[in-house]
Amino acid sequence: MRPLSLIACLICLATPALSDLPLACDGEAPEWHLTLAGPVAQFDFVRKNDFEVPQSNTAEGRDWPKAYTLISEFDTAIVLIDEASCEVGGQTWPITAHILTQRGQQPILLTGCCTVAE
């Protein structure tokens, strides 16, 4: 391997993937908010819940999309994020989010946008 190629590879490996960074996500109609940081998440839809994130997966052979499983004492959710820009509240965000959750026995699909959390 040429020295320049080796250096480029090492830089890529040292830079965390965007999908591995903490995310702040929002949606509207209906309004919801999600903060996702490693093994924990906080999801505010109807009520605020703290979740464990026991599993995350990336599409086979790709970097995106990424799926997260969220589990709390009373609720669950599946979060799918993709590196595609979207708009919420008149602002453009770099990541699209879809959340499949439930209210009682009623499945609910929410859509919104995410950015890297500060």
Side-chain angles (χ1 to χ4, degrees), residues 57-65:
N57 295 87
T58 304
E60 291 294 318
R62 301 179 63 199
D63 292 331
W64 295 89

Side-chain angles (χ1 to χ4, degrees), residues 24-111:
C25 308
D26 285 313
E28 57 187 12
E31 186 175 327
W32 59 268
H33 178 75
L34 171 71
T35 303
L36 187 61
V40 296
Q42 188 173 73
F43 183 41
D44 189 356
F45 172 66
V46 181
R47 65 178 175 264
K48 190 178 286 189
N49 263 331
D50 292 325
F51 287 83
E52 292 181 22
V53 184
Q55 181 180 10
S56 64
N57 295 87
T58 304
E60 291 294 318
R62 301 179 63 199
D63 292 331
W64 295 89
K66 190 158 184 113
Y68 298 89
T69 302
L70 279 55
I71 298 175
S72 75
E73 188 173 339
F74 299 104
D75 294 317
T76 61
I78 302 293
V79 179
L80 298 172
I81 62 166
D82 202 355
E83 189 179 38
S85 66
C86 66
E87 281 193 30
V88 168
Q91 296 181 359
T92 301
W93 302 52
I95 301 168
T96 299
H98 302 284
I99 301 175
L100 180 59
T101 189
Q102 74 286 334
R103 185 179 296 143
Q105 298 297 316
Q106 178 70 36
I108 298 171
L109 178 60
L110 304 169
T111 61

